Structures are given as structure tokens and as C-alpha cells.
Amino acid sequence: MTNISNAFKNKKAFIGFVVACDPNFEKSIDYVKTLADAGTDVIEIGVPFSDPIADGPVIQEAGLRAFKNGVSTKRVFEMVAKIREKTTVPLVLLVYLNNIFKYGYDKFFSACQQLNINGVIIPDLPVEERSEVAVFAKKADCSLIPLVAPTSGNRIKKIVAGTDGFVYAVSSLGVTGARDRITTDLDTMVSNIKRFTDAPIAVGFGIHSPEQAVEIAKTADGVIVGSAIVKIIAQEGTHAEEKLIDYVSNMKKALKQPETNRI
Amino acid sequence: MQNDLKKEQKAGRFGEFGGQYIPETLMHEIDRLVKAYNYYKNDPTFKKELTDLLHKYANRPSLLYHAQRMSKDLGGAQIYFKREDLNHTGSHKINNVLGQILLAKKMKKTRVIAETGAGQHGVATATVAALMGMKCEIFMGEVDTKRQSLNVYRMRLLGAKVHSVTTGTGTLKDAVNAAMQEWASRTEDTHYVIGSVMGPHPFPTMVRDFQACISAEIKKQLINETGKLPDAIVACVGGGSNAIGAFYHFIKDKDVRLIGCEAAGKGVDTEKHAATLERGTTGIFHGMKSIFLQNDDGQIDEVYSISAGLDYPGIGPEHAELAAQNRAEYVGITDDEAVEAFEYLAREEGIIAAIESCHAVAYVKKLAPQMSTDQIIVCNLSGRGDKDVAAIARYRGEKIYD
């Protein structure tokens, strides 16, 4: 069992997301620690890309703030090194393929291994192109977290084959960002995925409220919240600790409700 | 078996370039598109409908014109222009758009979206959408909507909705980002008409096939007129669709030089250019592995050209491979050289060509004198220049506003 799948053991996991170097290098390190202490089970760190085609406006703007603070892939690894002095929380990088490609596949995953980065989510790497990266990830014992979309249908089987971390189920088409209503039939989607893998399934894209979390956790093994957390950081800047703790506590409480854990 | 599998994975590859590097949210639709294209490209009805549209609506075949005054003035090779500027909507873009929207119609789509730089692809898409009764939305960088305001109005006139894209640099690459995002959120009724030989497979292959009529016609027309193949083909490259169209049927004719002209802007040694193959490195962006202008960290550069249609930080994967194989040459042409060629062609031959195409004309001006009078250069005039007249006037300090 990997470090990541442990995070799902006997509970519904809450997965949080921050953008590296937002609002600045030091503070984004502190916020990872804050989120972990408040009970976040897995933390995704976003590596900013100049052209983030899978991301909505909230995360795009965070990326622009991070660029002003001099973010780069190398800087993200320096950040994780500092984080690892403070917490063992499972960490996952969300990074576009070109950043990894330019850094060098081998060098990138070696750095992940060295820093105990447990997984990588690559939004622009479909299963068709996975093999060129997978060999390096495997060598470094780093999970490639596959994404399944509402439209994946008969692609699901090959997408989730060999998953050793968790499956990222994308709740809605389009880009990241909070949505009031998720129209995808998540129950069916999650059970379709479960037909092909024993790996835990976490649902992300558009999730922000405890009510949504309760609903999703009835079938899924975890929820992923990105834009809602990034928005708190955008609003509170370098003083976001309190709001982050409140937010995570509420989401964790929702995920602990007995009805959530019934199945 | 192992070999078959390998072949299967290599669909849409040009050497190491190409591929399908896009979010999973789009892959289902991309799979459908690959299947539909592979079926219809061999379907006699589809082929006949497309040929009819090209001939009866778009004004194909386009003329191959022997520019005798210019040939004489330059004192070297005989220069022929492939007159894509005389197509309906004024550029080669219509060839691809007719193909893709006809395909979209077969796939039961009711809405098309597209990115545009100079506006020529947007105008072509809006035109064919009107012709085929499809809803149409165009994504255009804010900077480009200002450079090409006449084309914005033209698209509206044709019934399209134009979105001004303010993210990033507000130019072509950002328009592509916005169109891809829109497509990811709505594939059921919508086809994304990519305007160049770029993006994930099948686009680079499909768009090339739709543009390849250019080189098929050149070959036929030139052999009819001169009994020979050309010595060189010259075309401008942004994403590279008119160039690949003009090159394609000559790739196997190894004696025909294939020359792509990139936008060198203020010069390739400044920061203001879009000369991808001269200054770029291998990367993965907009669904493809190809050559891009980017920094060491893999962040895509801001690029610059006087021409909104060449203002793109990447190039189609087949061009990247043609360059890697040394089968095609790629040269940079500066703003100044392109503007000078724009004026020269107008005076010498009475043709006002697009500033994009004038990057190719500028190179012809350099190349022709080095060749003998029995040699032949074919230059692809990819578009007409009406859209550029006001901007060129301003470049020369005239006070004209369109």
C-alpha cells in the first residue's frame, strides 16, 4: 500500500490544492503545513504553467501571482524540500507535461523520489501518451494519478489500469473552478470506475461546499478542492491561516458524517 | 503483434513530433473525430461534396500566375504565384474550413468554434458556418481584434459571435487556449475547427490533407504550362497550414527545395520575433510535441510579429520533422522586409497580398537573383492584403484608421 492510498484508509479523504509560490514562496510552504495540520489528507501542489488550458480563472490568476514571485520547477522542488522538514503529509504535484519534459523526465522524477513526492497529476497527458513518462515515474516510485472525465466511457478501463495512487474523477467538463451545480451523474461514473480498479477514487473540479462533499462521499472515496482554497488565499493573501483552518475543518466534519461513511 | 501495437501508438506522429497531449475531458471527442475522419476521407459522397464546394463555392482551382515583371526585375528565376488570395474569403483558410465543417455536419454537430489570429481563419469559419447553417463562435486575442478590427466586423456580419480573449498575451496562442477550453466544456454539439496544422492528432494530418489541394494543383498547373517541376516552393509559416499545403505533393520530389518563411519580427536576435524553427526547442504544448519558443523552465514565450497570422510560438509537427530531416529549410523574414515586399508586389505586379504571404515574397526577392532564368520558384500567396492596408499605412506613418 502506498503512502497515498493509506490516506484513504478507513475514511473519506479530503484533498486540498495550493499553487506553488502563491502568495509567495515562504507563505505557500506555511499554508501546506496549515492545511496538513487542519486534517487535509493529501495535498496537491500546482506548478504554474504559462498556458494552463485545464484551469479556470481562479487558478490561472494564482499562477500569474506565482510567476511574479519567481516560481519555476526548480523553485517548487526547493519549496517541497522545506515542506518535508515540517510534515509527512502525502504530496502530489499538479504539473503540465511541458514543465516535466523541459526539466527532463528522469531528473524530474528522481527529484520527486528524493523529496518523497508521492504522486504526479499531469492534466495534458492522456493514457495514449503515458508510456513515455510512466517508465520514469515507476522507477521513482511515484504514482501517476490518472484522470477520468464524465465522457471517458469505454476509455475508463485502459485509463485506470495499473493505478497505484488514486483515480482523479473529473466531475464536470470544462476547466477547474467552483460550480453551484454538478450535472454529471457521479454515482454512475464512480461505480463505472470501480468496475476496473480497486484504487480509491477522488472527485474534483467544481467542488467547494460541505454539502457537495457529503453528497459525493456517498459513493466516492475522497473529494478534491482546488479553486475554493486558492480563492481564500487570493482574498486573504499572507494572512489566510485562520480561514484555511475553518474551511478544512468544515469539509472534514462533513466527510465524517455517519451517512457519508455508510457504504 | 508488438509491431502492430507500436504502429497503432504512432498514429499522428511525424518522427518524434505530433501525438495527442490534451486533457482527458477532450479525448473521447478526439477519438470520435479520428474515427469520423478516417471514415469520411475515403467516402466517395463526402469527397464529391467537398470537391463541389471547393470548385463551385471557394473558386478552386486557384490560378498559378507567372509574374513576368517581377521575374524580369529580379533577373533570375521565373516566379510563379499560387493565387490562394483569390479564393472566396481571400485566403487558403477556406480549403480546410470547408473540409472540417462538412465533416462536423456529418458528425451531427450544430455549432462550430475556432481561434483566429489575423482573422482570416475566423472569417472563413464564419462564412462556411453561415453557408451550412451552423452556429459559430470565434475566439480572437484582444490585441488582434484591434489590429484586425475590420475582420472582426466581417465575422459579425456573417452571423458569428466574436470573443475577445484578454488572458495571457491576447494573441493567437491565447485564442487557441480559450477555444480549447470552450471545446472541453462542450463537445456534444460542437466541433473545434482548428485553423492550422497543429494541435492533437488528427488535426495536423487532417488539416494538411485539406490543404494539400494547393500542391496537387501547383504540380498539375506547372507541368501543363512548363513541362517541369519547380526548383523551389516558398511559403510563409506560422502554424504552417498554407506551407504544408504547398509542400505536400513535392515532399517526395527531392530536387524541389521547400522553403518556409517564419516571422523574424524585429530580428531573431531581439526578443521580438516568432521564428520558431530558428530559435525554438522541443516541447509539448497545444496537444502536440513540436518545436516551441519557450524558456528553460518550459514556459511558453511571448512572441511578436507585425503579422497577426504568424504570431504563434509553435509550429505544426510535420514541419518540425521536415526541418529535423533537413527536407525543408526555414528562414526568418523581418517586419521591415515583409513590409517592403508588400509594397514591391503591389507596384510590380498589381497584387496586394497579405502581410503574412509577403514574408514569402520577401524571401523570393532574395532567392530569385541567385538562380538562373530557366529555373522556377513557386511562391504561395496565401491571402490577400486588404485587411493589412491600414496597418501598413500606419507603419509608414500615414494617419489612416479603418
Side-chain angles (χ1 to χ4, degrees):
Chain A
M1 180 159 277
T2 65
N3 204 350
I4 297 180
S5 38
N6 261 328
F8 290 83
K9 208 174 174 183
N10 302 321
K11 63 172 182 277
K12 303 289 179 177
F14 176 72
I15 302 172
F17 172 88
V18 294
V19 170
C21 294
D22 173 39
N24 61 43
F25 180 78
E26 286 77 18
K27 249 352 214 190
S28 63
I29 295 167
D30 293 347
Y31 289 163
V32 170
K33 170 83 169 136
T34 304
L35 291 173
D37 290 350
T40 309
D41 299 295
V42 177
I43 298 174
E44 284 178 30
I45 298 175
V47 180
F49 181 49
S50 52
D51 297 83
I53 59 164
D55 286 308
V58 171
I59 292 175
Q60 283 193 26
E61 279 157 27
L64 293 178
R65 290 193 295 273
F67 280 121
K68 279 195 187 132
N69 296 321
V71 75
S72 66
T73 310
K74 187 165 162 277
R75 199 81 176 127
V76 174
F77 285 133
E78 288 166 11
M79 184 185 149
V80 174
K82 301 249 183 225
I83 291 168
R84 279 296 176 231
E85 291 167 10
K86 299 170 195 250
T87 170
T88 57
V89 69
L91 291 177
V92 169
L93 294 185
L94 191 139
V95 51
Y96 285 82
L97 187 56
N98 200 41
N99 293 71
I100 307 179
F101 181 79
K102 282 299 275 187
Y103 199 84
Y105 290 156
D106 203 1
K107 199 175 144 204
F108 182 92
F109 284 102
S110 299
C112 289
Q113 185 171 33
Q114 211 173 357
L115 294 165
N116 194 16
I117 292 168
N118 311 93
V120 171
I121 302 170
I122 309 171
D124 53 351
L125 183 73
V127 59
E128 279 74 4
E129 308 293 353
R130 197 190 287 160
S131 62
E132 69 180 75
V133 179
V135 44
F136 297 102
K138 197 175 166 76
K139 202 172 79 181
D141 216 8
C142 183
S143 301
L144 280 183
I145 310 295
L147 293 119
V148 173
T151 47
S152 292
N154 58 13
R155 298 174 45 79
I156 294 175
K157 188 178 172 185
K158 61 177 173 183
I159 293 171
V160 301
T163 301
D164 60 357
F166 65 92
V167 173
Y168 191 137
V170 176
S171 75
S172 314
L173 294 172
V175 295
T176 55
R179 289 165 169 79
D180 290 337
R181 220 158 54 89
I182 289 167
T183 52
T184 308
D185 177 357
L186 290 171
D187 285 2
T188 309
M189 185 176 167
V190 170
S191 26
N192 278 342
I193 301 171
K194 285 197 189 250
R195 283 169 55 207
F196 301 107
T197 181
D198 296 327
I201 297 161
V203 176
F205 269 46
I207 295 154
H208 58 104
S209 71
E211 293 74 25
Q212 286 174 314
V214 169
E215 199 51 39
I216 287 164
K218 282 179 188 165
T219 44
D221 306 300
V223 298
I224 305 167
V225 174
S227 297
I229 292 175
V230 173
K231 207 168 175 179
I232 293 173
I233 295 172
Q235 283 162 356
E236 307 297 322
T238 52
H239 304 282
E241 280 89 350
E242 205 178 310
K243 290 255 165 82
L244 289 174
I245 293 167
D246 280 357
Y247 183 78
V248 175
S249 309
N250 282 333
M251 293 299 273
K252 285 290 286 186
K253 207 157 72 190
L255 290 171
K256 270 185 196 144
Q257 284 178 17
E259 60 169 312
T260 311
N261 292 307
R262 207 173 45 209
I263 303 165
Chain B
M1 175 69 200
Q2 198 62 31
N3 257 345
D4 282 357
L5 195 67
K6 210 160 183 188
K7 233 179 232 166
E8 168 108 9
Q9 285 169 341
K10 291 290 174 191
R13 286 279 172 178
F14 306 92
E16 70 166 305
F17 304 110
Q20 298 180 303
Y21 301 89
I22 48 155
E24 174 59 24
T25 45
L26 276 169
M27 278 311 296
H28 167 77
E29 184 62 20
I30 289 287
D31 283 348
R32 286 191 61 206
L33 184 62
V34 170
K35 280 198 192 94
Y37 180 60
N38 284 338
Y39 174 78
Y40 284 109
K41 74 177 180 188
N42 299 315
D43 175 48
T45 314
F46 180 85
K47 289 202 304 200
K48 183 176 183 311
E49 282 174 5
L50 180 56
T51 306
D52 276 359
L53 284 165
L54 288 169
H55 287 200
K56 293 172 186 166
Y57 187 72
N59 201 26
R60 299 211 74 84
S62 66
L63 299 174
L64 184 71
Y65 164 71
H66 185 188
Q68 297 188 47
R69 268 176 60 85
M70 189 171 155
S71 304
K72 196 173 166 205
D73 181 61
L74 295 174
Q78 300 307 306
I79 297 155
Y80 285 79
F81 286 118
K82 181 61 173 164
R83 298 292 308 273
E84 293 297 302
D85 59 316
L86 297 179
N87 294 343
H88 181 41
T89 72
S91 82
H92 71 293
K93 295 290 188 188
I94 190 94
N95 308 330
N96 166 45
V97 170
L98 280 169
Q100 280 198 50
I101 298 188
L102 189 62
L103 181 64
K105 196 101 185 163
K106 302 281 180 198
M107 293 175 76
K108 309 264 186 282
K109 304 291 181 186
T110 55
R111 176 176 176 260
V112 289
I113 56 171
E115 85 293 343
T116 196
Q120 284 169 313
H121 176 57
V123 168
T125 304
T127 299
V128 178
L131 174 71
M132 299 202 191
M134 306 270 253
K135 283 188 240 104
C136 178
E137 294 185 27
I138 303 294
F139 294 81
M140 189 171 186
E142 189 186 27
V143 172
D144 292 338
T145 60
K146 287 178 183 149
R147 284 199 278 199
Q148 300 289 348
S149 54
L150 197 60
N151 269 343
V152 174
Y153 187 73
R154 200 169 274 147
M155 288 183 265
R156 293 211 181 107
L157 202 59
L158 291 159
K161 186 172 175 189
V162 181
H163 299 273
S164 170
V165 179
T166 54
T167 50
T169 53
T171 60
L172 184 53
K173 99 178 151 80
D174 309 288
V176 174
N177 293 347
M180 274 194 181
Q181 291 197 338
E182 171 64 21
W183 200 31
S185 71
R186 189 170 166 186
T187 53
E188 200 43 46
D189 65 346
T190 300
H191 175 68
Y192 175 17
V193 185
I194 292 188
S196 193
V197 283
M198 48 154 291
H201 175 65
F203 285 101
T205 302
M206 178 170 71
V207 177
R208 180 214 51 214
D209 291 349
F210 288 141
Q211 292 294 358
C213 57
I214 300 173
S215 50
E217 287 174 12
I218 293 173
K219 207 168 204 177
K220 201 171 155 196
Q221 291 166 322
L222 194 68
I223 288 175
N224 271 347
E225 188 164 332
T226 69
K228 295 198 291 191
L229 290 181
D231 295 278
I233 308 242
V234 183
C236 63
V237 277
S241 71
N242 92 79
I244 210 79
F247 292 172
Y248 185 65
H249 287 284
F250 295 99
I251 292 175
K252 287 185 181 143
D253 300 312
K254 302 285 183 204
D255 293 334
V256 180
R257 285 176 68 187
L258 306 175
I259 303 164
C261 303
E262 301 189 307
K266 307 277 187 201
V268 290
D269 295 320
T270 70
E271 284 187 351
K272 289 187 148 294
H273 67 82
T276 306
L277 284 172
E278 279 166 288
R279 288 290 184 274
T281 54
T282 305
I284 297 162
F285 180 50
H286 280 165
M288 58 186 172
K289 187 178 282 179
S290 191
I291 307 291
F292 297 96
L293 292 165
Q294 56 183 330
N295 70 13
D296 293 341
D297 198 40
Q299 310 296 346
I300 304 301
D301 282 347
E302 295 189 11
V303 294
Y304 163 84
S305 165
I306 188 174
S307 138
L310 303 182
D311 199 352
Y312 182 69
I315 189 160
E318 195 166 6
H319 284 292
E321 178 62 7
L322 288 173
Q325 299 289 337
N326 290 318
R327 176 60 193 97
E329 308 154 55
Y330 296 86
V331 297
I333 295 295
T334 64
D335 285 0
D336 284 347
E337 290 170 324
V339 169
E340 208 218 313
F342 182 91
E343 293 164 339
Y344 175 82
L345 186 64
R347 279 197 317 270
E348 206 66 33
E349 290 288 348
I351 298 171
I352 296 173
I355 190 66
E356 288 79 13
S357 319
C358 289
H359 285 69
V361 176
Y363 191 70
V364 170
K365 284 183 67 194
K366 297 184 192 182
L367 181 66
Q370 301 166 24
M371 294 167 68
S372 64
T373 53
D374 60 350
Q375 289 186 298
I376 295 170
I377 300 173
V378 175
C379 175
N380 199 30
L381 283 191
S382 55
R384 70 173 178 227
D386 313 41
K387 67 181 179 59
D388 299 308
V389 170
I392 301 296
R394 287 197 294 273
Y395 187 85
R396 290 300 190 205
E398 306 258 349
K399 289 195 174 105
I400 290 180
Y401 293 92
D402 57 354

